[in-house]
Amino acid sequence: MNAIIEVRDVSKSYGGVAANTGISLSVDEGGITGLIGPNGSGKTTLFNSIVGYHPIDSGSIKFESKEISKLPVQAIARRGLLRTFQQTRIYGKMNCVQNMLISLPHRKMSFFDAFSRHGQQDYERTDGLLDFVGLYEKRFLRAGSLSFGQQKLLEFAMALMNEPTALLLDEPTAGINPTLINGLIDRLKRANTEFGITLFVIEHNMRVIMNLAEKIYCLAHGQLLAEGTPEQIQNDQRVIDAYLGVH
Amino acid sequence: MNKRNLILYIAILTATVIAPFLFPDFRTQLATLWLMIIVALTWDMTGGQMGYNSLGNIFFYGTGMYVAAVIAIGLVYDVGAYTDAAGGQIFIFTEAQYFSGLFLGVIGAGLFCSVTAVVIGYLTFGLRGPYFAIGTLGVAIAAGELVSNWDWVGGGQGIALPVYPGDFDIGKLLFYYLFAGVGVVLFIFLKWLYSTRFGEAINAIRDDEEKAEAMGLHTLRYKLTTWAMAAFFVGMVGAISAFQLIHFEPLETAYQTINLGIFMVVCVLLGGKGTLWGPVVGAILFHVFKEVTWNYLLGWQWVALGALIVVTVVYFQDGIMGWLMHRRPEWFGIRVEEKDTAGA
Ligand SMILES: Nc1ncnc2c1ncn2[C@@H]1O[C@H](COP(=O)(O)OP(=O)(O)OP(=O)(O)O)[C@@H](O)[C@H]1O
Ligand SMILES: [Mg+2]
């Protein structure tokens, strides 16, 4: 399979803290790849590096075979590489429908398109996707008044609205009611198969990631510790030690 | 637009047209009311809709005044000689010269201010929150100081424009209709703008600019365009004010940071940030409050004004429209809608 995201030897430190050291990995086009690791192991930092949220110290990051490590966040997003936030970010004072409409892909939009209104098909897509994540009834409520879990679902729907080629999800099931998690796994899989979006997912919930991903990378102390299929990762002694805090 | 709204808008438009005839003694106050509405609406474009609280919009007002003066005078005479003369030489403007100066001055002021907004915006839009407010305030203060030391435009003495070449009362009427015309055009323009994808984009920037960037929005482009549009209208009304006042000074009139520069913010806070009607309602209430206290509470007017600001900021943070939205969310379309009732 083709690699759609290629990370080569990427390092990033915050002052004295080496958050990522010499990380190399690749995300297969059309698949679901997982990223795990203990708290503070550098997972979010790596996501931030990939989407251009901050400049990296060294290394190379390619998306669809093109170097993107020098591009600003917006330019990378417009190429179809999108991320959601661990802390969940939505537009709080706008209602769910508006949150969805503003998430329509901006790569297809010229300056003058901004002075037009939305067509019927935009509203239909909005309704369809809000229904897909189970927020249809809440669509005229302010996004800021939704619960954390609902905001997480809204953010996911907004990402789908943007029609990305690849989507990086930072802990999509955090704060979601356990009884709803199976439904969410199902939706993530459908986003991958039905909409053809490549997923790269950070997840703490082992059951979720083992269920979802075809390939998993594990970070510890800012370095790549292990990679493999869910079975290989589950049985890897280094991974087990890292999670149990044994060094 | 439904029928009730249509009737409401026609009524407001009619009132706008006949107001100076109903209250002929208050023509200047009514013109000033429109000025307040315009500066409040334009302040809200960045402050309320986009989340960038500028304290420097008065810069465009003052700059509009000076640009208009330079154009109107420069079309006929040498500006340096004009400001140098100090009454020794008499400068005469024909009616045609006056009106072409007025027309070109107002348009030129708007365009010039748009361009400066892009330049200043490019330098200041990297600042967030209070830093943006203080940064823009700094621009307005610095501009006032610079202009008051610039003899070519009259220095600290200010500059005098040609006087309206006709009947004094007709002149008052003309200025009223100029302000009202700009105000009505601005209101219609914003009603349309806020209904487009552009309006959504600046709201997104207000709610979470980092998210907007992560979603691929051209954030800087939206910010610059918004401020340039606001500056266009503020520059135009600055120009109209210049012709209305005839003589103006750099610090007290043009770059009046603590008067109009702050009043426009108070109007918006009073009426409700980020709404179309909030700045209008706020400007009307504020103007009435100010006229009443200035006339009946002489000596205490600034205390009353300060008290109004404190009460607004402490107890009424979302303004009148915000309070209404809180009380009557359904009026603003905030509701839970079950699936089967949709589309019915
Ligand atoms: N903006 C920042 N400034 C300074 N240090 C940071 C910053 N962001 C992250 N760090 C540090 O970098 C390290 C890696 O953090 P990161 O957020 O990438 O971890 P993570 O794997 O996503 O953790 P978690 O599972 O808790 O989300 C941590 O030690 C953290 O303290
Ligand atoms: Mg993290």
Side-chain angles (χ1 to χ4, degrees):
Chain A
M1 241 192 281
N2 272 344
I4 190 164
I5 299 171
E6 293 164 87
V7 174
R8 287 286 159 263
D9 240 355
V10 165
S11 298
K12 171 73 191 175
S13 55
Y14 297 107
V17 183
N20 284 164
T21 322
I23 293 184
S24 298
L25 53 78
S26 61
V27 175
D28 287 335
E29 183 169 6
I32 303 181
T33 305
L35 182 62
I36 62 171
N39 290 123
S41 57
K43 304 180 297 295
T44 300
T45 302
L46 183 65
F47 268 25
N48 285 337
S49 298
I50 294 174
V51 299
Y53 189 73
H54 54 214
I56 54 175
D57 299 340
S58 60
S60 133
I61 300 167
K62 285 184 177 160
F63 176 61
E64 296 180 321
S65 310
K66 289 189 195 75
E67 185 67 33
I68 56 167
S69 59
K70 298 280 187 294
L71 294 178
V73 175
Q74 294 109 310
I76 293 175
R78 287 196 289 271
R79 287 188 179 207
L81 175 55
L82 215 66
R83 67 93 62 91
T84 63
F85 291 86
Q86 179 171 0
Q87 249 50 59
T88 308
R89 304 184 90 146
I90 42 86
Y91 307 117
K93 288 187 187 157
M94 301 165 77
N95 68 29
C96 296
V97 172
Q98 291 167 324
N99 269 268
M100 293 297 285
L101 291 171
I102 191 57
S103 302
L104 279 163
H106 283 251
R107 61 180 162 281
K108 298 177 180 170
M109 202 172 141
S110 79
F111 180 67
F112 293 102
D113 287 340
F115 297 101
S116 65
R117 294 186 197 181
H118 293 285
Q120 191 56 37
Q121 72 278 13
D122 295 342
Y123 287 100
E124 278 163 17
R125 240 176 86 73
T126 294
D127 286 356
L129 283 171
L130 284 176
D131 192 32
F132 180 71
V133 297
L135 286 175
Y136 187 84
E137 284 78 17
K138 314 264 172 169
R139 68 195 196 283
F140 294 121
L141 298 186
R142 282 184 174 200
S145 71
L146 301 177
S147 73
F148 180 77
Q150 289 170 331
Q151 293 187 5
K152 203 104 209 174
L153 292 168
L154 175 63
E155 196 187 25
F156 175 52
M158 287 159 69
L160 297 181
M161 191 77 175
N162 200 271
E163 299 172 34
T165 315
L167 178 57
L168 313 191
L169 296 159
D170 201 341
E171 302 193 19
T173 67
I176 303 278
N177 181 335
T179 60
L180 298 176
I181 284 189
N182 283 341
L184 184 57
I185 295 177
D186 177 54
R187 288 185 184 110
L188 290 171
K189 283 185 172 166
R190 280 172 60 195
N192 176 246
T193 51
E194 289 175 25
F195 306 137
I197 302 171
T198 301
L199 297 181
F200 190 23
V201 186
I202 295 179
E203 194 43 78
H204 274 299
N205 186 328
M206 283 303 148
R207 186 178 66 80
V208 171
I209 200 71
M210 294 302 159
N211 222 308
L212 198 62
E214 293 130 19
K215 182 170 186 181
I216 295 172
Y217 291 94
C218 178
L219 296 186
H221 302 293
Q223 284 167 314
L224 193 63
L225 185 70
E227 60 177 281
T229 62
E231 293 74 43
Q232 288 167 334
I233 289 291
Q234 242 166 341
N235 300 317
D236 192 308
Q237 193 57 44
R238 294 169 302 174
V239 176
I240 296 166
D241 289 347
Y243 268 88
L244 295 176
V246 186
H247 303 288
Chain B
M1 202 186 294
N2 64 39
K3 208 170 167 190
R4 211 183 61 197
N5 280 352
L6 192 67
I7 292 171
L8 179 72
Y9 283 119
I10 289 174
I12 292 172
L13 206 58
T14 312
T16 300
V17 174
I18 62 173
F21 295 101
L22 289 181
F23 310 101
D25 296 339
F26 292 95
R27 280 178 189 168
T28 305
Q29 278 92 332
L30 287 169
T32 308
L33 173 60
W34 276 105
L35 169 66
M36 298 303 292
I37 292 175
I38 293 162
V39 291
L41 276 170
T42 47
W43 187 86
D44 194 56
M45 291 170 72
T46 51
Q49 299 283 347
M50 202 170 75
Y52 275 81
N53 300 314
S54 157
L55 288 179
N57 276 19
I58 195 70
F59 170 82
F60 302 118
Y61 181 77
T63 304
M65 286 184 132
Y66 274 98
V67 171
V70 167
I71 289 176
I73 295 162
L75 280 174
V76 189
Y77 298 104
D78 178 79
V79 178
Y82 180 91
T83 50
D84 233 13
Q89 189 186 344
I90 295 172
F91 294 89
I92 294 166
F93 290 82
T94 66
E95 208 164 289
Q97 285 168 341
Y98 179 87
F99 285 108
S100 52
L102 176 65
F103 178 76
L104 294 173
V106 170
I107 300 293
L111 293 175
F112 185 87
C113 286
S114 281
V115 174
T116 43
V118 172
V119 175
I120 299 171
Y122 204 82
L123 300 172
T124 54
F125 273 132
L127 304 172
R128 300 283 150 91
Y131 299 99
F132 178 78
I134 298 302
T136 49
L137 177 63
V139 170
I141 293 175
E145 288 300 327
L146 283 175
V147 169
S148 58
N149 285 304
W150 190 11
D151 288 336
W152 189 69
V153 291
Q157 301 294 310
I159 193 165
L161 271 87
V163 180
Y164 178 75
D167 180 70
F168 188 64
D169 274 328
I170 303 291
K172 279 191 174 174
L173 212 52
L174 171 76
F175 288 112
Y176 170 82
Y177 283 122
L178 282 176
F179 281 117
V182 172
V184 169
V185 169
L186 173 64
F187 186 89
I188 295 170
F189 172 72
L190 291 181
K191 191 170 166 53
W192 165 77
L193 185 72
Y194 295 157
S195 76
T196 65
R197 301 179 68 176
F198 190 96
E200 257 164 25
I202 60 175
N203 286 167
I205 291 170
R206 170 195 66 199
D207 285 4
D208 190 338
E209 186 167 352
E210 263 187 22
K211 174 69 177 175
E213 287 173 357
M215 295 299 282
L217 268 71
H218 297 85
T219 46
L220 183 62
R221 190 196 277 177
Y222 288 118
K223 291 192 284 185
L224 293 177
T225 310
T226 307
W227 217 24
M229 293 190 290
F232 180 75
F233 285 97
V234 181
M236 287 206 299
V237 291
I240 299 169
S241 290
F243 282 98
Q244 181 198 32
L245 295 170
I246 302 165
H247 175 258
F248 62 89
E249 294 175 337
L251 297 175
E252 298 291 312
T253 327
Y255 298 97
Q256 45 169 314
T257 39
I258 60 154
N259 288 331
L260 192 59
I262 296 298
F263 293 167
M264 60 175 91
V265 187
V266 179
C267 290
V268 175
L269 295 184
L270 193 61
K273 274 175 111 174
T275 61
L276 185 57
W277 278 104
V280 179
V281 173
I284 294 170
L285 287 178
F286 178 85
H287 189 58
V288 170
F289 178 87
K290 186 171 163 284
E291 287 300 313
V292 169
T293 52
W294 252 246
N295 284 327
Y296 298 104
L297 283 178
L298 209 66
W300 288 88
Q301 71 272 45
W302 283 99
V303 177
L305 186 65
L308 176 74
I309 295 175
V310 170
V311 169
T312 309
V313 174
V314 175
Y315 296 105
F316 244 166
Q317 277 192 358
D318 297 325
I320 291 159
M321 296 306 278
W323 175 79
L324 261 185
M325 208 180 280
H326 189 71
R327 278 305 184 79
R328 292 263 179 277
E330 66 278 6
W331 288 4
F332 298 86
I334 299 171
R335 63 186 187 273
V336 175
E337 192 169 279
E338 299 301 330
K339 212 169 164 188
D340 19 355
T341 63

